[in-house]
């Protein structure tokens, strides 16, 4: 589990451009893509996923170990685990939200758990292989999806949880995700595999809302962990026949 260190958090905040997520062994094609992708753009990883990467035979100086900024962020991660999420996923969701960068999903097993837990609100689908330059472009676009409305979303979520209006807020967040899909017109073919997914961790916490309310009431900064996470599904981007996708 990641440690809590605000000073190190501030140092890492402007460096990382994504949070890696893997639940099981990472395939060679994904590892090769990752080596190409992080030469000039460092990414971050929590302690749980780092162990998975080590077991998969992957290491790089461009993969930086992330920390929680506050104890309340660690508490939210523990709540997600208590709601049934695996440790890798709970940790990565909170880190993605608090660093305000997308999830870089490296294995289908992690995606499958998100589907089983019904945490995916909306998705972009493609039935063709996405070229490296387009993957990189959409990693940047997904970062804009995370950042552009982040403050409004987390503050609304905090107020809704404290005020007992979580269900209505979940619908508002779903509507937001569906509107935001238009950013991905270059690769959204409306069929095939999910390549970009919008994930709302609050969906997993409906039965933990009293505990979450207590955390938020005691710690305003806990709201940083309530963002909608955008995940780029690398195995699905690299799968299928490569066809021309417009970047106009």
């Amino acid at each position: 589990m990641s440690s809590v260190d605000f000073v190190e958090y501030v140092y890492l905040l402007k460096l990382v451009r994504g949070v890696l997520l893997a639940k099981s062994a990472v395939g060679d094609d994904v590892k090769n893509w990752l080596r190409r992708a992080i030469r000039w753009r460092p990414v971050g990883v929590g302690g749980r996923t780092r162990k998975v990467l080590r077991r998969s035979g992957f290491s790089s100086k461009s993969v930086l170990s992330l920390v929680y900024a506050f104890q309340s962020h660690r508490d939210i991660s523990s709540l997600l685990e208590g709601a049934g999420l695996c440790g890798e996923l709970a940790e990565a969701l909170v880190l993605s939200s608090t660093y305000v960068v997308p999830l870089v999903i490296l294995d289908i097993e992690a995606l499958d758990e998100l589907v089983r837990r019904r945490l995916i609100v909306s998705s972009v689908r493609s039935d063709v292989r996405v070229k490296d330059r387009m993957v990189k472009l959409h990693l940047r676009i997904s970062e804009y999806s995370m950042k552009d409305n982040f403050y409004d979303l987390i503050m609304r979520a905090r107020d809704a949880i404290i005020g007992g209006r979580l269900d209505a807020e979940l619908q508002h967040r779903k509507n937001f995700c569906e509107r935001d899909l238009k950013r991905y017109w270059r690769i959204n073919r409306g069929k095939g595999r999910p390549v970009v997914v919008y994930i709302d961790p609050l969906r997993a916490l409906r039965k933990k809302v009293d505990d979450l309310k207590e955390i938020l009431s005691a710690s305003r900064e806990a709201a940083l962990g309530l963002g909608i996470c955008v995940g780029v599904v690398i195995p699905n981007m690299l799968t299928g026949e490569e066809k021309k996708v417009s970047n106009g």
Side-chain angles (χ1 to χ4, degrees), residues 67-118:
V67 297
Y68 293 120
F70 301 98
Q71 179 61 40
S72 58
H73 299 166
R74 193 170 187 171
D75 294 340
I76 292 174
S77 180
S78 296
L79 270 189
L80 287 168
E81 277 197 77
L85 273 64
C86 70
E88 294 85 3
L89 188 53
E91 182 179 60
L93 286 172
V94 175
L95 291 172
S96 172
S97 180
T98 55
Y99 283 85
V100 206
V101 291
L103 281 176
V104 183
I105 301 174
L106 302 178
D107 68 324
I108 295 301
E109 286 75 9
L111 177 66
D112 287 344
E113 178 164 347
L114 289 168
V115 172
R116 286 197 307 273
R117 298 292 179 183
R118 299 183 179 181

CSV table of all heavy atoms in Angstrom, one decimal, residues 67-118:
chain,number,residue,atom,x,y,z
A,67,VAL,N,2.7,8.2,-4.0
A,67,VAL,CA,2.3,8.2,-2.5
A,67,VAL,C,0.9,8.9,-2.4
A,67,VAL,O,0.5,9.6,-3.4
A,67,VAL,CB,3.3,9.0,-1.7
A,67,VAL,CG1,4.6,8.3,-1.7
A,67,VAL,CG2,3.4,10.4,-2.1
A,68,TYR,N,0.2,8.7,-1.3
A,68,TYR,CA,-1.0,9.4,-1.1
A,68,TYR,C,-0.6,10.8,-0.5
A,68,TYR,O,0.4,10.9,0.3
A,68,TYR,CB,-1.9,8.7,-0.1
A,68,TYR,CG,-2.5,7.4,-0.6
A,68,TYR,CD1,-2.2,6.2,0.1
A,68,TYR,CD2,-3.3,7.4,-1.7
A,68,TYR,CE1,-2.7,5.0,-0.4
A,68,TYR,CE2,-3.9,6.2,-2.1
A,68,TYR,CZ,-3.6,5.0,-1.5
A,68,TYR,OH,-4.1,3.8,-2.0
A,69,ALA,N,-1.4,11.8,-0.8
A,69,ALA,CA,-1.1,13.1,-0.3
A,69,ALA,C,-1.6,13.3,1.2
A,69,ALA,O,-0.9,13.9,2.0
A,69,ALA,CB,-1.9,14.2,-1.1
A,70,PHE,N,-2.7,12.6,1.5
A,70,PHE,CA,-3.3,12.7,2.9
A,70,PHE,C,-3.7,11.3,3.3
A,70,PHE,O,-4.0,10.4,2.5
A,70,PHE,CB,-4.5,13.7,2.9
A,70,PHE,CG,-4.1,15.1,2.5
A,70,PHE,CD1,-4.4,15.5,1.2
A,70,PHE,CD2,-3.6,16.0,3.4
A,70,PHE,CE1,-4.1,16.8,0.8
A,70,PHE,CE2,-3.2,17.3,3.0
A,70,PHE,CZ,-3.5,17.7,1.7
A,71,GLN,N,-3.8,11.2,4.6
A,71,GLN,CA,-4.3,9.9,5.2
A,71,GLN,C,-5.8,9.6,4.7
A,71,GLN,O,-6.1,8.5,4.5
A,71,GLN,CB,-4.3,10.0,6.7
A,71,GLN,CG,-4.8,8.7,7.4
A,71,GLN,CD,-4.0,7.5,7.1
A,71,GLN,OE1,-2.8,7.5,7.0
A,71,GLN,NE2,-4.8,6.4,6.9
A,72,SER,N,-6.5,10.7,4.5
A,72,SER,CA,-7.9,10.5,4.1
A,72,SER,C,-8.0,9.8,2.7
A,72,SER,O,-8.9,9.0,2.4
A,72,SER,CB,-8.7,11.8,4.0
A,72,SER,OG,-8.0,12.7,3.2
A,73,HIS,N,-7.0,10.0,1.9
A,73,HIS,CA,-7.0,9.3,0.6
A,73,HIS,C,-6.7,7.8,0.8
A,73,HIS,O,-7.3,7.0,0.1
A,73,HIS,CB,-5.9,10.0,-0.3
A,73,HIS,CG,-6.1,11.4,-0.6
A,73,HIS,ND1,-5.2,12.2,-1.1
A,73,HIS,CD2,-7.2,12.2,-0.4
A,73,HIS,CE1,-5.7,13.5,-1.3
A,73,HIS,NE2,-6.9,13.5,-0.8
A,74,ARG,N,-5.8,7.5,1.7
A,74,ARG,CA,-5.6,6.1,2.0
A,74,ARG,C,-6.9,5.5,2.6
A,74,ARG,O,-7.2,4.3,2.3
A,74,ARG,CB,-4.4,6.0,3.0
A,74,ARG,CG,-3.9,4.6,3.2
A,74,ARG,CD,-2.6,4.7,4.0
A,74,ARG,NE,-2.0,3.4,4.1
A,74,ARG,CZ,-0.7,3.2,4.6
A,74,ARG,NH1,-0.1,4.3,5.0
A,74,ARG,NH2,-0.2,2.0,4.6
A,75,ASP,N,-7.6,6.3,3.4
A,75,ASP,CA,-8.8,5.8,4.0
A,75,ASP,C,-9.9,5.5,2.9
A,75,ASP,O,-10.6,4.5,3.0
A,75,ASP,CB,-9.4,6.8,4.9
A,75,ASP,CG,-8.5,7.0,6.2
A,75,ASP,OD1,-7.7,6.1,6.5
A,75,ASP,OD2,-8.7,8.0,6.8
A,76,ILE,N,-10.0,6.3,1.9
A,76,ILE,CA,-10.9,6.1,0.8
A,76,ILE,C,-10.5,4.8,0.0
A,76,ILE,O,-11.4,4.0,-0.4
A,76,ILE,CB,-11.0,7.3,-0.2
A,76,ILE,CG1,-11.6,8.5,0.5
A,76,ILE,CG2,-11.8,6.9,-1.4
A,76,ILE,CD1,-11.6,9.7,-0.2
A,77,SER,N,-9.2,4.6,-0.2
A,77,SER,CA,-8.8,3.4,-0.9
A,77,SER,C,-9.2,2.2,0.0
A,77,SER,O,-9.6,1.1,-0.6
A,77,SER,CB,-7.2,3.4,-1.0
A,77,SER,OG,-6.8,2.3,-1.6
A,78,SER,N,-9.0,2.2,1.3
A,78,SER,CA,-9.4,1.1,2.1
A,78,SER,C,-10.9,0.9,2.1
A,78,SER,O,-11.4,-0.3,2.1
A,78,SER,CB,-9.0,1.4,3.6
A,78,SER,OG,-7.6,1.5,3.7
A,79,LEU,N,-11.7,2.0,2.0
A,79,LEU,CA,-13.2,1.8,1.8
A,79,LEU,C,-13.5,1.1,0.5
A,79,LEU,O,-14.4,0.2,0.5
A,79,LEU,CB,-13.8,3.2,1.8
A,79,LEU,CG,-14.3,3.8,3.1
A,79,LEU,CD1,-15.1,5.1,2.8
A,79,LEU,CD2,-15.1,2.9,4.0
A,80,LEU,N,-12.8,1.4,-0.6
A,80,LEU,CA,-13.1,0.7,-1.8
A,80,LEU,C,-12.7,-0.7,-1.7
A,80,LEU,O,-13.5,-1.6,-2.3
A,80,LEU,CB,-12.2,1.4,-2.9
A,80,LEU,CG,-12.7,2.8,-3.4
A,80,LEU,CD1,-11.7,3.4,-4.3
A,80,LEU,CD2,-14.1,2.6,-4.1
A,81,GLU,N,-11.6,-1.1,-1.0
A,81,GLU,CA,-11.3,-2.5,-0.8
A,81,GLU,C,-12.4,-3.1,0.0
A,81,GLU,O,-12.8,-4.3,-0.2
A,81,GLU,CB,-10.0,-2.6,-0.1
A,81,GLU,CG,-8.8,-2.6,-1.1
A,81,GLU,CD,-7.5,-3.1,-0.5
A,81,GLU,OE1,-7.4,-4.4,-0.3
A,81,GLU,OE2,-6.7,-2.3,0.0
A,82,GLY,N,-12.9,-2.4,1.1
A,82,GLY,CA,-13.9,-3.0,1.9
A,82,GLY,C,-15.2,-3.2,1.1
A,82,GLY,O,-16.1,-4.0,1.5
A,83,ALA,N,-15.4,-2.4,0.0
A,83,ALA,CA,-16.6,-2.6,-0.8
A,83,ALA,C,-16.4,-3.7,-1.8
A,83,ALA,O,-17.4,-4.0,-2.6
A,83,ALA,CB,-16.9,-1.3,-1.5
A,84,GLY,N,-15.3,-4.4,-1.8
A,84,GLY,CA,-15.1,-5.6,-2.6
A,84,GLY,C,-14.1,-5.4,-3.8
A,84,GLY,O,-13.9,-6.4,-4.5
A,85,LEU,N,-13.5,-4.2,-4.0
A,85,LEU,CA,-12.6,-4.1,-5.1
A,85,LEU,C,-11.2,-4.7,-4.7
A,85,LEU,O,-10.8,-4.7,-3.5
A,85,LEU,CB,-12.4,-2.6,-5.4
A,85,LEU,CG,-13.3,-2.0,-6.4
A,85,LEU,CD1,-14.8,-2.0,-5.9
A,85,LEU,CD2,-12.9,-0.6,-6.8
A,86,CYS,N,-10.5,-5.2,-5.7
A,86,CYS,CA,-9.2,-5.7,-5.4
A,86,CYS,C,-8.2,-4.5,-5.0
A,86,CYS,O,-8.5,-3.4,-5.4
A,86,CYS,CB,-8.6,-6.4,-6.6
A,86,CYS,SG,-8.2,-5.4,-8.0
A,87,GLY,N,-7.2,-4.8,-4.3
A,87,GLY,CA,-6.3,-3.8,-3.8
A,87,GLY,C,-5.7,-3.0,-5.0
A,87,GLY,O,-5.5,-1.7,-4.8
A,88,GLU,N,-5.3,-3.6,-6.1
A,88,GLU,CA,-4.7,-2.9,-7.2
A,88,GLU,C,-5.6,-1.8,-7.7
A,88,GLU,O,-5.3,-0.7,-8.0
A,88,GLU,CB,-4.3,-3.8,-8.3
A,88,GLU,CG,-3.2,-4.8,-8.0
A,88,GLU,CD,-3.7,-6.1,-7.3
A,88,GLU,OE1,-5.0,-6.2,-7.1
A,88,GLU,OE2,-2.9,-6.9,-6.9
A,89,LEU,N,-6.9,-2.2,-7.9
A,89,LEU,CA,-7.9,-1.3,-8.4
A,89,LEU,C,-8.2,-0.2,-7.5
A,89,LEU,O,-8.3,1.0,-7.8
A,89,LEU,CB,-9.1,-2.1,-8.8
A,89,LEU,CG,-10.2,-1.3,-9.6
A,89,LEU,CD1,-9.6,-0.7,-10.8
A,89,LEU,CD2,-11.3,-2.3,-10.0
A,90,ALA,N,-8.4,-0.5,-6.2
A,90,ALA,CA,-8.8,0.5,-5.2
A,90,ALA,C,-7.7,1.6,-5.1
A,90,ALA,O,-7.9,2.8,-5.1
A,90,ALA,CB,-9.0,-0.1,-3.8
A,91,GLU,N,-6.5,1.1,-5.0
A,91,GLU,CA,-5.3,2.0,-4.9
A,91,GLU,C,-5.2,2.9,-6.2
A,91,GLU,O,-5.0,4.1,-6.1
A,91,GLU,CB,-4.0,1.2,-4.7
A,91,GLU,CG,-2.8,2.0,-4.6
A,91,GLU,CD,-1.6,1.2,-4.4
A,91,GLU,OE1,-1.3,0.3,-5.2
A,91,GLU,OE2,-0.9,1.3,-3.3
A,92,ALA,N,-5.3,2.3,-7.4
A,92,ALA,CA,-5.1,3.0,-8.6
A,92,ALA,C,-6.2,4.1,-8.8
A,92,ALA,O,-5.9,5.2,-9.4
A,92,ALA,CB,-5.0,2.0,-9.8
A,93,LEU,N,-7.4,3.8,-8.5
A,93,LEU,CA,-8.5,4.7,-8.7
A,93,LEU,C,-8.3,6.0,-7.8
A,93,LEU,O,-8.5,7.1,-8.3
A,93,LEU,CB,-9.8,4.1,-8.3
A,93,LEU,CG,-10.4,3.1,-9.3
A,93,LEU,CD1,-11.6,2.4,-8.7
A,93,LEU,CD2,-10.8,3.8,-10.6
A,94,VAL,N,-7.9,5.8,-6.6
A,94,VAL,CA,-7.6,7.0,-5.7
A,94,VAL,C,-6.4,7.7,-6.2
A,94,VAL,O,-6.5,9.0,-6.2
A,94,VAL,CB,-7.5,6.5,-4.3
A,94,VAL,CG1,-7.1,7.7,-3.4
A,94,VAL,CG2,-8.8,5.9,-3.7
A,95,LEU,N,-5.4,7.1,-6.6
A,95,LEU,CA,-4.2,7.8,-7.1
A,95,LEU,C,-4.5,8.5,-8.4
A,95,LEU,O,-4.1,9.6,-8.6
A,95,LEU,CB,-3.1,6.8,-7.3
A,95,LEU,CG,-2.5,6.2,-6.1
A,95,LEU,CD1,-1.5,5.1,-6.4
A,95,LEU,CD2,-1.8,7.2,-5.2
A,96,SER,N,-5.3,7.9,-9.3
A,96,SER,CA,-5.7,8.6,-10.6
A,96,SER,C,-6.4,9.8,-10.3
A,96,SER,O,-6.2,10.9,-10.9
A,96,SER,CB,-6.5,7.6,-11.4
A,96,SER,OG,-7.1,8.3,-12.5
A,97,SER,N,-7.4,9.8,-9.3
A,97,SER,CA,-8.2,11.0,-9.0
A,97,SER,C,-7.3,12.0,-8.3
A,97,SER,O,-7.4,13.2,-8.6
A,97,SER,CB,-9.3,10.5,-8.1
A,97,SER,OG,-10.1,11.7,-7.7
A,98,THR,N,-6.5,11.6,-7.3
A,98,THR,CA,-5.7,12.7,-6.6
A,98,THR,C,-4.6,13.3,-7.3
A,98,THR,O,-4.2,14.4,-7.1
A,98,THR,CB,-5.2,12.1,-5.2
A,98,THR,OG1,-4.4,10.9,-5.5
A,98,THR,CG2,-6.4,11.7,-4.3
A,99,TYR,N,-4.1,12.6,-8.3
A,99,TYR,CA,-3.0,13.1,-9.2
A,99,TYR,C,-3.7,13.7,-10.5
A,99,TYR,O,-3.0,14.4,-11.3
A,99,TYR,CB,-2.0,12.1,-9.6
A,99,TYR,CG,-1.0,11.8,-8.5
A,99,TYR,CD1,-1.3,10.9,-7.5
A,99,TYR,CD2,0.2,12.5,-8.4
A,99,TYR,CE1,-0.4,10.6,-6.5
A,99,TYR,CE2,1.1,12.2,-7.4
A,99,TYR,CZ,0.8,11.3,-6.4
A,99,TYR,OH,1.7,11.0,-5.4
A,100,VAL,N,-5.0,13.5,-10.6
A,100,VAL,CA,-5.7,14.1,-11.8
A,100,VAL,C,-5.1,13.7,-13.1
A,100,VAL,O,-4.9,14.6,-14.0
A,100,VAL,CB,-5.9,15.6,-11.6
A,100,VAL,CG1,-7.2,16.0,-12.4
A,100,VAL,CG2,-6.0,16.1,-10.2
A,101,VAL,N,-4.8,12.4,-13.3
A,101,VAL,CA,-4.3,11.9,-14.5
A,101,VAL,C,-5.0,10.6,-14.8
A,101,VAL,O,-5.5,9.9,-13.9
A,101,VAL,CB,-2.8,11.7,-14.4
A,101,VAL,CG1,-2.0,13.0,-14.4
A,101,VAL,CG2,-2.4,10.8,-13.3
A,102,PRO,N,-5.0,10.2,-16.1
A,102,PRO,CA,-5.8,9.0,-16.4
A,102,PRO,C,-5.2,7.7,-15.9
A,102,PRO,O,-4.0,7.6,-15.7
A,102,PRO,CB,-5.8,9.0,-18.0
A,102,PRO,CG,-4.6,9.8,-18.3
A,102,PRO,CD,-4.5,10.9,-17.3
A,103,LEU,N,-6.0,6.7,-15.9
A,103,LEU,CA,-5.5,5.3,-15.6
A,103,LEU,C,-5.0,4.7,-16.9
A,103,LEU,O,-5.7,4.9,-18.0
A,103,LEU,CB,-6.7,4.4,-15.1
A,103,LEU,CG,-7.1,4.5,-13.7
A,103,LEU,CD1,-8.3,3.6,-13.4
A,103,LEU,CD2,-6.0,4.1,-12.8
A,104,VAL,N,-3.9,4.1,-16.9
A,104,VAL,CA,-3.3,3.4,-18.0
A,104,VAL,C,-3.5,1.9,-17.7
A,104,VAL,O,-2.8,1.3,-16.9
A,104,VAL,CB,-1.9,3.7,-18.3
A,104,VAL,CG1,-1.3,3.0,-19.5
A,104,VAL,CG2,-1.7,5.2,-18.4
A,105,ILE,N,-4.6,1.3,-18.3
A,105,ILE,CA,-5.0,-0.1,-17.9
A,105,ILE,C,-4.2,-1.0,-18.8
A,105,ILE,O,-4.3,-1.0,-20.0
A,105,ILE,CB,-6.5,-0.3,-18.1
A,105,ILE,CG1,-7.3,0.7,-17.2
A,105,ILE,CG2,-6.9,-1.7,-17.8
A,105,ILE,CD1,-8.8,0.8,-17.5
A,106,LEU,N,-3.4,-1.9,-18.1
A,106,LEU,CA,-2.5,-2.8,-18.8
A,106,LEU,C,-2.9,-4.2,-19.0
A,106,LEU,O,-2.2,-5.0,-19.7
A,106,LEU,CB,-1.1,-2.8,-18.0
A,106,LEU,CG,-0.5,-1.4,-17.8
A,106,LEU,CD1,0.8,-1.5,-17.0
A,106,LEU,CD2,-0.2,-0.7,-19.1
A,107,ASP,N,-4.0,-4.6,-18.4
A,107,ASP,CA,-4.5,-6.0,-18.6
A,107,ASP,C,-6.0,-6.0,-18.6
A,107,ASP,O,-6.7,-5.2,-18.0
A,107,ASP,CB,-3.9,-6.9,-17.5
A,107,ASP,CG,-4.5,-6.6,-16.1
A,107,ASP,OD1,-4.7,-5.4,-15.8
A,107,ASP,OD2,-4.7,-7.5,-15.3
A,108,ILE,N,-6.5,-7.1,-19.3
A,108,ILE,CA,-8.0,-7.2,-19.4
A,108,ILE,C,-8.6,-7.6,-18.1
A,108,ILE,O,-9.8,-7.3,-17.9
A,108,ILE,CB,-8.3,-8.2,-20.5
A,108,ILE,CG1,-7.8,-7.7,-21.9
A,108,ILE,CG2,-9.8,-8.5,-20.6
A,108,ILE,CD1,-8.4,-6.3,-22.3
A,109,GLU,N,-7.9,-8.3,-17.2
A,109,GLU,CA,-8.5,-8.7,-16.0
A,109,GLU,C,-8.9,-7.5,-15.1
A,109,GLU,O,-10.0,-7.5,-14.5
A,109,GLU,CB,-7.5,-9.5,-15.2
A,109,GLU,CG,-7.3,-11.0,-15.7
A,109,GLU,CD,-6.5,-11.0,-17.0
A,109,GLU,OE1,-5.9,-10.0,-17.3
A,109,GLU,OE2,-6.4,-12.1,-17.6
A,110,ALA,N,-8.1,-6.4,-15.1
A,110,ALA,CA,-8.5,-5.2,-14.4
A,110,ALA,C,-9.8,-4.6,-15.0
A,110,ALA,O,-10.7,-4.2,-14.3
A,110,ALA,CB,-7.4,-4.2,-14.4
A,111,LEU,N,-9.8,-4.6,-16.4
A,111,LEU,CA,-11.0,-4.1,-17.0
A,111,LEU,C,-12.2,-4.9,-16.7
A,111,LEU,O,-13.3,-4.4,-16.4
A,111,LEU,CB,-10.8,-4.1,-18.6
A,111,LEU,CG,-12.0,-3.6,-19.4
A,111,LEU,CD1,-12.3,-2.2,-19.2
A,111,LEU,CD2,-11.7,-3.9,-20.9
A,112,ASP,N,-12.0,-6.2,-16.7
A,112,ASP,CA,-13.2,-7.1,-16.4
A,112,ASP,C,-13.7,-6.9,-15.0
A,112,ASP,O,-14.9,-7.0,-14.8
A,112,ASP,CB,-12.7,-8.6,-16.5
A,112,ASP,CG,-12.5,-9.0,-17.9
A,112,ASP,OD1,-13.0,-8.3,-18.8
A,112,ASP,OD2,-11.9,-10.1,-18.1
A,113,GLU,N,-12.8,-6.6,-14.0
A,113,GLU,CA,-13.3,-6.3,-12.7
A,113,GLU,C,-14.2,-5.0,-12.7
A,113,GLU,O,-15.2,-4.9,-12.0
A,113,GLU,CB,-12.2,-6.2,-11.7
A,113,GLU,CG,-12.8,-5.9,-10.3
A,113,GLU,CD,-11.8,-6.1,-9.1
A,113,GLU,OE1,-10.8,-6.8,-9.3
A,113,GLU,OE2,-12.1,-5.6,-8.0
A,114,LEU,N,-13.7,-4.0,-13.4
A,114,LEU,CA,-14.5,-2.7,-13.5
A,114,LEU,C,-15.8,-3.0,-14.1
A,114,LEU,O,-16.8,-2.4,-13.6
A,114,LEU,CB,-13.7,-1.7,-14.4
A,114,LEU,CG,-12.4,-1.1,-13.8
A,114,LEU,CD1,-11.6,-0.4,-14.9
A,114,LEU,CD2,-12.8,-0.2,-12.6
A,115,VAL,N,-15.9,-3.9,-15.1
A,115,VAL,CA,-17.2,-4.2,-15.7
A,115,VAL,C,-18.1,-5.0,-14.7
A,115,VAL,O,-19.3,-4.6,-14.5
A,115,VAL,CB,-17.0,-5.1,-17.0
A,115,VAL,CG1,-18.3,-5.6,-17.5
A,115,VAL,CG2,-16.3,-4.2,-18.0
A,116,ARG,N,-17.5,-6.0,-14.0
A,116,ARG,CA,-18.3,-6.8,-13.0
A,116,ARG,C,-18.8,-5.9,-11.9
A,116,ARG,O,-20.0,-6.1,-11.4
A,116,ARG,CB,-17.4,-7.9,-12.4
A,116,ARG,CG,-17.1,-9.0,-13.3
A,116,ARG,CD,-16.6,-10.2,-12.5
A,116,ARG,NE,-15.5,-9.9,-11.7
A,116,ARG,CZ,-14.2,-9.9,-12.1
A,116,ARG,NH1,-13.9,-10.2,-13.4
A,116,ARG,NH2,-13.2,-9.7,-11.3
A,117,ARG,N,-18.0,-4.9,-11.5
A,117,ARG,CA,-18.5,-4.1,-10.4
A,117,ARG,C,-19.4,-2.9,-10.9
A,117,ARG,O,-19.8,-2.1,-10.1
A,117,ARG,CB,-17.2,-3.5,-9.7
A,117,ARG,CG,-16.3,-4.5,-9.1
A,117,ARG,CD,-17.0,-5.2,-7.9
A,117,ARG,NE,-16.1,-6.2,-7.3
A,117,ARG,CZ,-16.4,-7.0,-6.3
A,117,ARG,NH1,-17.7,-6.9,-5.8
A,117,ARG,NH2,-15.6,-7.9,-5.8
A,118,ARG,N,-19.6,-2.8,-12.2
A,118,ARG,CA,-20.5,-1.8,-12.7
A,118,ARG,C,-20.0,-0.4,-12.5
A,118,ARG,O,-20.8,0.5,-12.2
A,118,ARG,CB,-21.9,-2.0,-12.3
A,118,ARG,CG,-22.5,-3.4,-12.7
A,118,ARG,CD,-24.0,-3.5,-12.3
A,118,ARG,NE,-24.5,-4.8,-12.7
A,118,ARG,CZ,-25.8,-5.2,-12.5
A,118,ARG,NH1,-26.6,-4.4,-11.8
A,118,ARG,NH2,-26.2,-6.4,-12.9
